[in-house]
Amino acid sequence: MAARLVSRMLRRVLRSSVRSCSSGARVTQPRRGEPSQSAAEELSGRRRFLREHATPFSAFLTDGFGRQHSYLRISLTEKCNLRCQYCMPEEGVPLTPKADLLTSEEILTLARLFVKEGVDKIRLTGGEPLIRPDVVDIVAQLNRLEGLRNISVTTNGINLARLLPQLQRAGLNAINISLDTLVPAKFEFIVRRKGFHKVMEGIHKAIELGYSPVKVNCVVMRGLNEEELLDFVALTEGLPLDVRFIEYMPFDGNKWNFKKMVSYKEMLDTIQQRWPELEKLPQEESSTAKTFKIPGFRGQVSFITSMSEHFCGTCNRLRITADGNLKVCLFGNSEVSLRDHLRAGDSEEQLLRVIGAAVGRKKPQHAGMFNISRMKNRPMILIEFSLLLQDSPPALPAVSSWDSLSIQGLRHRVGVSSQEAALWKGCWVPQPPPLTRRWLGCGSPQRHYSSHSDSDTSPKCLSPVPQAPATHSGWLPTSDELTHVDSEGRAVMVDVGSKPDTARVAVASAVVLLGPVAFKLVQENRLKKGDALVVAQLAGVQAAKLTSQLIPLCHQVALSHVQVRLELDSTRHAVAIQASCQARGPTGVEMEALTSAAVAALTLYDMCKAVSRDIVLGEIKLISKTGGQRGDFHRT
């Protein structure tokens, strides 16, 4: 007991001298600055003495495999101010009643207990922790705990620029900011909210205040953002960032699919092809990240390899959820309520026994990515914010879909570094350029949007004559019988198991008659809701992929490509829509194309209905289809 008291006194002396930032850069209290040489030598001596005379680590926080848990993550809230497509539905998720969440005093009581037992690092998570009104006070209270050396936060960055000066004064040492794309339009599509500029401002503020490196968390998912790997890495050339690429992980409700996961080795190979001089940095034993640096770059890149190369053997992390449950493994489904024991009046010793029993039951490693995907566990939003993965990530079209926006020139890798560095250094955020315009005979400027990047550089409007790729033309043979009903007239799904896989292409169209007022606002991109053509295009792409969920008897089709084009027709004050879908399989994609065109039209209606209710949706029709046993079809 006396030895433990001496150890705590030494920690207190050590902590009063210096607090370490996430990079190891020192921040003195109350002001930041480098210690003198003598102070550094004294600090080194104290650390050496502490190591030599340290007491055995707490038995309550040591599991049966000798892992010592000195890192605690505390979720401050289940709420979030974003509505990410791959995290939760737009209306949110069912939240725990406020009375069942931990109060500030309960959070501090538990933190105090864990720190007394040897925890020296606490990370605050959510939901979004920075929407909790008392977050600055919580950081300040944690900062007073003897033995706690590091206080960090994981945030989506929306409120960061506003709160960071206060948080730094309160004692915040390190920041992780979640950002999955560098394309503003894609950001808004993913999170269903505006805010890209605020996140950028938050990262700029963190750099300005001396946090180094500022950690940027990027969950990499195939079909969503894997084509941006090199763009993220390029940011580290002139900025003190640690870009952390995180393998997509399975959680309850996120419909995890191995095919959506981009492995660490695949990401590393992609980066090394561009920067072969990439070198690995040494790492601490308990580190979750494999860190690399390009010589001459200010920042670095890391990989969190939870799925392909787990780091369970050196895990030192515990988690407390916002409702007070202790999780000893992120991927484990067993939890114990510390809140209930607190409110039952348990003593400190009783709480420690509960904690020790839970830690002692921790398994040597998680169940593996394929088994985890079948296990029942909380959605990530209800564990912590750092990886928002509750819902299936939208399998967006390939990189060409976003290239067509020409936003920030991300396709041209050579120019990314300087442009993005200017963006981050000056906190300047470029707006998407005006959509491609073409002057028609009437002299009216026409806005055109396409989800497909044309092979040449000249802008192309939607052709009034559909040009579906087909080698065999002819009318589709009709049938005397309906295929979706059985002999007794009941609805039934067609069995396509015996049909051969063939290449399938379908093109459908729709027209939205907006009227002169709404048409002009769309044409000039002055709608208060945003760019109607961009939003409608994205809605059409997403609708094609969800057709089997919307139309009961449709088969699920693995689409290989979706293309949505929109063109303004000033003669009718209308928007012409064309949707094309491609797949290889035993069934056609006509319904996908029709659904895409129809939902794009409905989205335009929704974007414009505040301006005019006199909007007409019409001419939804199949233009062409190719592939399949029944022949091709082209509307004349």
Side-chain angles (χ1 to χ4, degrees):
M1 194 67 184
R4 179 172 291 182
L5 181 60
V6 170
S7 177
R8 288 176 185 163
M9 291 175 64
L10 285 170
R11 287 181 185 171
R12 184 175 185 179
V13 172
L14 178 62
R15 182 174 167 275
S16 65
S17 300
V18 67
R19 256 190 189 282
S20 61
C21 283
S22 59
S23 66
R26 299 181 182 87
V27 180
T28 57
Q29 301 293 335
R31 272 197 263 179
R32 300 156 60 80
E34 293 293 332
S36 65
Q37 173 126 19
S38 60
E41 291 172 355
E42 180 183 358
L43 177 60
S44 176
R46 286 173 180 166
R47 285 176 172 163
R48 186 168 56 253
F49 182 87
L50 181 59
R51 286 195 299 270
E52 293 171 356
H53 296 82
T55 60
F57 193 83
S58 169
F60 297 105
L61 301 185
T62 304
D63 65 19
F65 303 92
R67 292 172 295 196
Q68 300 174 347
H69 296 80
S70 59
Y71 178 8
L72 179 65
R73 303 172 75 100
I74 303 176
S75 172
L76 297 185
T77 179
E78 295 176 348
K79 295 181 179 179
C80 185
N81 48 0
L82 298 181
R83 290 292 180 270
C84 296
Q85 299 256 4
Y86 58 89
C87 172
M88 65 171 101
E90 188 169 7
E91 65 275 11
V93 296
L95 299 175
T96 303
K98 185 176 180 180
D100 294 335
L101 299 175
L102 290 178
T103 65
S104 298
E105 185 55 40
E106 288 170 335
I107 289 172
L108 293 168
T109 296
L110 291 174
R112 193 175 299 114
L113 179 60
F114 276 89
V115 171
K116 283 175 65 177
E117 291 302 310
V119 164
D120 60 10
K121 178 178 180 180
I122 290 180
R123 176 173 296 278
L124 302 177
T125 66
E128 169 47 42
L130 298 191
I131 65 174
R132 181 157 174 149
D134 56 353
V135 62
V136 175
D137 183 60
I138 289 175
V139 171
Q141 295 289 336
L142 291 174
N143 193 38
R144 298 190 181 102
L145 298 182
E146 297 179 11
L148 184 59
R149 301 185 183 184
N150 189 285
I151 305 170
S152 56
V153 67
T154 294
T155 172
N156 62 24
I158 298 295
N159 294 338
L160 184 60
R162 175 173 58 87
L163 291 175
L164 189 53
Q166 303 172 58
L167 289 167
Q168 187 182 64
R169 288 193 295 271
L172 186 71
N173 305 123
I175 306 165
N176 285 43
I177 302 165
S178 296
L179 181 65
D180 297 325
T181 178
L182 298 174
V183 183
K186 193 195 294 189
F187 177 91
E188 189 172 333
F189 171 67
I190 291 172
V191 306
R192 298 192 182 101
R193 298 287 188 273
K194 296 182 182 296
F196 180 78
H197 303 74
K198 291 183 177 180
V199 178
M200 300 287 277
E201 184 184 359
I203 297 175
H204 169 78
K205 177 63 71 173
I207 295 173
E208 177 188 311
L209 293 178
Y211 289 93
S212 179
V214 176
K215 295 183 178 179
V216 177
N217 290 352
C218 177
V219 180
V220 181
M221 288 164 283
R222 200 177 309 280
L224 179 66
N225 61 353
E226 84 275 17
E227 78 280 4
E228 294 188 60
L229 277 171
L230 301 184
D231 303 320
F232 273 101
V233 176
L235 294 176
T236 68
E237 180 175 6
L239 299 170
L241 301 177
D242 180 3
V243 177
R244 294 151 56 90
F245 297 117
I246 302 171
E247 291 179 338
Y248 173 42
M249 306 178 195
F251 290 95
D252 191 24
N254 76 346
K255 302 173 186 175
W256 183 83
N257 188 318
F258 174 73
K259 294 180 181 179
K260 297 173 185 173
M261 190 196 85
V262 183
S263 72
Y264 148 63
K265 289 187 176 179
E266 181 180 345
M267 290 187 274
L268 183 62
D269 181 64
T270 299
I271 296 170
Q272 285 180 322
Q273 289 183 37
R274 173 63 179 84
W275 289 284
E277 66 273 26
L278 186 72
E279 59 185 31
K280 195 174 190 300
L281 300 180
Q283 63 187 67
E284 295 182 4
E285 183 182 12
S286 60
S287 175
T288 62
K290 293 177 174 64
T291 305
F292 294 77
K293 187 178 181 67
I294 300 170
F297 281 30
R298 287 186 66 190
Q300 59 196 38
V301 295
S302 302
F303 301 90
I304 311 297
T305 62
S306 303
M307 296 293 96
S308 64
E309 296 183 15
H310 71 77
F311 32 80
C312 302
T314 58
C315 178
N316 68 337
R317 290 161 296 283
L318 300 172
R319 288 170 172 80
I320 298 177
T321 62
D323 56 355
N325 281 11
L326 175 66
K327 287 181 71 74
V328 298
C329 176
L330 176 63
F331 300 105
N333 51 17
S334 61
E335 302 177 2
V336 58
S337 177
L338 301 182
R339 176 204 64 202
D340 291 350
H341 286 278
L342 270 177
R343 295 181 182 180
D346 282 12
S347 67
E348 185 174 294
E349 195 64 32
Q350 289 172 316
L351 277 169
L352 285 175
R353 282 200 294 268
V354 171
I355 293 169
V359 173
R361 291 191 296 268
K362 186 169 181 176
K363 297 177 181 179
Q365 65 183 62
H366 64 58
M369 56 185 164
F370 296 107
N371 290 326
I372 290 172
S373 64
R374 295 190 292 268
M375 290 169 57
K376 184 68 176 175
N377 190 10
R378 288 182 184 232
M380 193 61 185
I381 185 67
L382 301 183
I383 301 175
E384 56 184 61
F385 174 77
S386 60
L387 305 172
L388 292 177
L389 299 174
Q390 185 194 358
D391 229 350
S392 177
L396 296 175
V399 63
S400 60
S401 304
W402 293 104
D403 284 345
S404 64
L405 291 170
S406 299
I407 294 174
Q408 307 199 38
L410 289 182
R411 186 167 187 169
H412 306 289
R413 304 290 185 187
V414 176
V416 169
S417 177
S418 59
Q419 185 176 7
E420 292 291 348
L423 166 68
W424 293 65
K425 182 177 179 181
C427 204
W428 168 75
V429 180
Q431 296 294 328
L435 298 177
T436 307
R437 295 176 179 270
R438 180 182 180 187
W439 292 88
L440 301 182
C442 61
S444 167
Q446 297 296 306
R447 295 179 65 232
H448 162 255
Y449 188 78
S450 169
S451 69
H452 177 68
S453 179
D454 293 309
S455 57
D456 57 20
T457 57
S458 62
K460 295 183 179 180
C461 289
L462 175 64
S463 171
V465 180
Q467 298 177 357
T471 54
H472 304 286
S473 299
W475 287 101
L476 183 68
T478 57
S479 172
D480 293 334
E481 298 180 355
L482 295 174
T483 58
H484 285 79
V485 294
D486 62 14
S487 57
E488 298 180 5
R490 293 173 298 193
V492 64
M493 178 179 275
V494 176
D495 184 359
V496 296
S498 60
K499 291 186 177 181
D501 286 356
T502 58
R504 312 278 186 147
V505 180
V507 180
S509 66
V511 174
V512 182
L513 303 175
L514 294 172
V517 177
F519 178 84
K520 185 175 182 180
L521 292 175
V522 171
Q523 182 184 50
E524 298 175 358
N525 194 14
R526 291 194 294 114
L527 284 174
K528 289 184 178 180
K529 285 188 175 183
D531 195 322
L533 299 184
V534 171
V535 176
Q537 184 270 329
L538 294 173
V541 171
Q542 190 71 351
K545 297 181 294 181
L546 296 175
T547 299
S548 65
Q549 299 178 38
L550 300 172
I551 312 297
L553 300 180
C554 275
H555 295 83
Q556 187 171 356
V557 176
L559 293 169
S560 58
H561 183 65
V562 180
Q563 175 184 334
V564 179
R565 290 173 176 260
L566 299 98
E567 180 190 335
L568 294 178
D569 180 355
S570 59
T571 60
R572 293 198 292 169
H573 298 122
V575 177
I577 301 168
Q578 179 176 288
S580 172
C581 294
Q582 298 178 25
R584 185 172 187 85
T587 187
V589 289
E590 300 98 308
M591 291 305 302
E592 283 70 18
L594 286 163
T595 302
S596 177
V599 170
L602 287 168
T603 302
L604 278 173
Y605 181 95
D606 179 64
M607 295 287 288
C608 301
K609 68 178 186 289
V611 178
S612 172
R613 300 284 177 170
D614 189 24
I615 301 172
V616 177
L617 279 61
E619 302 180 37
I620 300 174
K621 57 190 175 185
L622 181 69
I623 300 298
S624 66
K625 60 90 59 179
T626 61
Q629 295 176 331
R630 299 176 63 201
D632 299 342
F633 164 75
H634 296 278
R635 186 177 298 275
T636 58

